Every structure is written in C-alpha cells, then in structure tokens.
Amino acid sequence: MSTLFHDAPAGRPASLTRRVLNQGRYEAGTMLRNGEQLVLMIVMPLLGLIALAVTPILDGLGHSRIDVATPGILALCALSTAFTGQGIATGFDRRYGVLRFLATTPLGKAGLIAGKVIAVLAALAIQVVIISTVAAFLGWRPPVAGVLLGIPLLILGAATFTALGLLIAGTVRPEATLAITNLGWILFAALGGIVLPASKFSDTMAGIVNWLPSGALGTLMRGALLESRIDVFAIVILLAWAVAGSVAAIKWFKWN
C-alpha cells in the first residue's frame, strides 16, 4: 500500500492561464445556456438587422441598407453582451456571494475579471459569425481592409462596455443593475447612434450622440466597414470612455 502511494505522481495546481481559461469557458457556457441572454445577444440583433434591411429607415445615406445596417448591428452585439449581459450576470453573482467566494480562490480577482473578458469575447465571436452570415445572405459584401479594421474596433468597443457594465454591477444593487443596463441598452440602441448614424438625428441630438460610447463605436464600425477608414474623433472618444470606465470600475467595484 505504501509503495502504491509513494509511486503516485504528486498533484500540482493548475497554472494561472489554465484557471483563467477554464473560468472563461464556464462563464461563456453559462451565458449561452441562458435563454434571456440568447434573446438579448442573438434574437434582438437579428430582428434589428432584418428590420433595417427591409424598411427605408437607412435610405439616403449613399450605401445600400444592408451595408449601413450591418456595422451598427455588430456594434449592438458588443453592447448587448458586454454591457447588459455581463453587467446583469455580475450583479447577481455579487448579490449571492459568488464573486466574494471566487475572489478568495487561487483564481483571484484579476483572474475572475480576465475570465469574464474571455467569456464576452467568445460570445461576441459567435454573434459576429451569425450576424455576418445572415447579412451575407442579404447581400452584405464588406471590403477585406474594412473587416481587418473592424475586428479590433469591435474588441475595443466590447472592452469599453464591459468596463461600464462592471462599474454598474459593482456599485449598485442587482435589481438596479438589471434596470439600468436594460434601459441603457434601449436608449443606446434607439437614440445612442450605435444603430442609426448621427446624421439621422437633429443637429442638437447629433452633437450629444457623437460624445457617447455608443455613437463613437457605431461611427467607427460604419467608417471601417463602409469606407475602410478610422474616424479619429470617434476613436479618441471611445478610448476616453474605455479608460474612464476601467479606472472607475477598478476604484469603486465592490465584491460583496
């Protein structure tokens, strides 16, 4: 008996990278198994894409409806997953003590946040594949250079909205997080310039939209996927929101 235990290989803890990846896989699986999350991440953007493609809302912008609609809907996917979906999930994890428990494990606070970022990026990749496939059937043919520009911009947008979602989830009650992130999704989608370009609003409203993270991401995605260019003002605004949101989340996030 003693020989058997003596020859057994010593157990070793998993590396930090493996712990983070496993946490990211768990978080992504939880998001994709949640029916409400799927409606928010997949069904709503798809309905928005089809509605914009078959109605004259985006006419008169110099491009086909599907060419203008798809970049905005991809930006909306980042908003849905990173801001609303992750914000609500984190808010209720905090309420039930899951965050406090996980923060004391070898995963640590930084590993937990890294896992959430991986989950958001994994879910966003699935959204992009589904939306792009449906848009392609509707006639969307983006330039290759625009696609190469759009991918990092979409990741930057996801990082920005993840920081803002965690800021809300870590500072207010989960019920308030639920209300704020859902209301934020509606306002950003309808009036925030993420789906409709700022030119579709009045001059006063357009001036406000251009300073919002939603308006900046929508402008950047349309600039990249329509004209293969980066709007300098919009990327400065989005970077400013990303930095401000991250700093605020790090400073004020409460784990319990």
Side-chain angles (χ1 to χ4, degrees):
M1 180 66 72
S2 60
T3 301
L4 175 63
F5 284 107
H6 179 74
D7 294 337
R12 291 183 298 177
S15 65
L16 178 60
T17 302
R18 179 170 291 277
R19 291 197 294 267
V20 170
L21 290 176
N22 286 339
Q23 180 65 22
R25 184 172 58 184
Y26 167 77
E27 295 264 358
T30 301
M31 292 174 67
L32 296 174
R33 286 193 298 270
N34 187 306
E36 294 178 0
Q37 296 269 23
L38 284 179
V39 169
L40 187 67
M41 293 191 308
I42 305 295
V43 177
M44 298 295 283
L46 273 179
L47 291 177
L49 178 68
I50 294 171
L52 292 173
V54 301
T55 59
I57 297 174
L58 296 177
D59 286 355
L61 295 175
H63 299 274
S64 68
R65 296 173 183 172
I66 192 65
D67 284 348
V68 180
T70 305
I73 294 298
L74 291 174
L76 182 66
C77 290
L79 172 68
S80 302
T81 302
F83 180 72
T84 308
Q86 192 57 254
I88 293 173
T90 304
F92 281 95
D93 281 350
R94 175 169 164 253
R95 174 178 183 172
Y96 294 120
V98 176
L99 292 183
R100 182 178 56 183
F101 171 74
L102 288 176
T104 60
T105 66
L107 182 65
K109 295 180 180 179
L112 179 59
I113 293 175
K116 289 184 176 296
V117 172
I118 290 174
V120 168
L121 293 178
L124 184 59
I126 294 173
Q127 290 175 288
V128 169
V129 170
I130 294 174
I131 295 296
S132 298
T133 301
V134 174
F137 277 110
L138 295 175
W140 185 50
R141 299 291 184 273
V144 175
V147 173
L148 296 178
L149 282 176
I151 291 172
L153 293 174
L154 195 61
I155 293 174
L156 174 61
T160 303
F161 284 115
T162 298
L164 295 175
L166 291 178
L167 173 62
I168 296 171
T171 53
V172 302
R173 294 168 59 87
E175 291 81 3
T177 299
L178 183 67
I180 292 171
T181 54
N182 276 322
L183 181 61
W185 187 90
I186 293 172
L187 292 177
F188 281 144
L191 303 173
I194 198 166
V195 174
L196 300 178
S199 59
K200 282 292 182 179
F201 300 99
S202 67
D203 291 342
T204 302
M205 189 65 190
I208 298 173
V209 163
N210 288 330
W211 289 87
L212 298 176
S214 54
L217 181 57
T219 298
L220 285 168
M221 291 299 292
R222 280 184 287 275
L225 295 174
L226 288 173
E227 302 170 353
S228 303
R229 65 176 180 84
I230 293 179
D231 188 296
V232 176
F233 177 78
I235 198 166
V236 170
I237 295 298
L238 191 60
L239 283 170
W241 276 100
V243 172
S246 300
V247 171
I250 292 171
K251 182 175 182 179
W252 288 306
F253 190 93
K254 298 177 182 175
W255 292 83
N256 55 57

